[in-house]
Amino acid sequence: MTEPQNTTPYPTESLTDATTPLAPPPAPLPPAATAVSAPIRWGGVVWGALLTVFAALTLWIVSSSERAAETANWISALTPGSAWALGAAVVGLIIVVSALLGGLRASQRRRLTGRG
C-alpha cells in the first residue's frame, strides 16, 4: 500500500505569461572603430625566458650525480672574494636586464601615445 505524497498538482493553465520576456533584449554593441592589438609585454617574455633557462640548467645539473658533485666542488672552492664577485655579477645582470626592459617599455608607450 502506498502512502499519499504531499505534492502540488501540475498547473493546467497556459504558461505564456511566465515565458514572455520582462524586458526587450539589449541592443548590440557598436563595432570598434579600429582594432588595435595589445603591445607585447617584453618584461614577461624576457623574465620568463630567463627563468626557463635557469630551471633547465638546474635540472641539467641535478640530473647527473657527477655534474651535481662537480657543481658542489666548484661552489665549495669559491673564495669569499670570488663569491662576492659572482653575486655582484648576478645582481648586475638583473639590473642590466631591468634597465633594458624599462627602456623598451618606455619606447612602446611613446609610440602608442604618438609622442615619439
Side-chain angles (χ1 to χ4, degrees):
M1 198 159 150
T2 61
E3 297 183 18
Q5 298 180 2
N6 294 331
T7 60
T8 55
Y10 184 74
T12 57
E13 63 269 359
S14 174
L15 297 176
T16 56
D17 292 336
T19 58
T20 57
L22 298 176
L29 295 174
T34 58
V36 177
S37 64
I40 296 175
R41 301 298 301 255
W42 287 105
V45 173
V46 171
W47 288 117
L50 287 176
L51 287 174
T52 302
V53 167
F54 179 75
L57 181 65
T58 302
L59 285 174
W60 180 74
I61 289 172
V62 300
S63 65
S64 168
S65 60
E66 294 90 22
R67 284 191 294 262
E70 290 173 8
T71 304
N73 289 338
W74 174 72
I75 291 174
S76 66
L78 288 176
T79 64
S82 62
W84 278 104
L86 183 62
V90 169
V91 169
L93 177 67
I94 291 171
I95 290 172
V96 167
V97 170
S98 297
L100 289 174
L101 290 174
L104 185 63
R105 181 69 182 143
S107 69
Q108 279 183 334
R109 285 184 181 162
R110 275 194 307 262
R111 187 176 53 218
L112 288 176
T113 59
R115 292 185 295 174

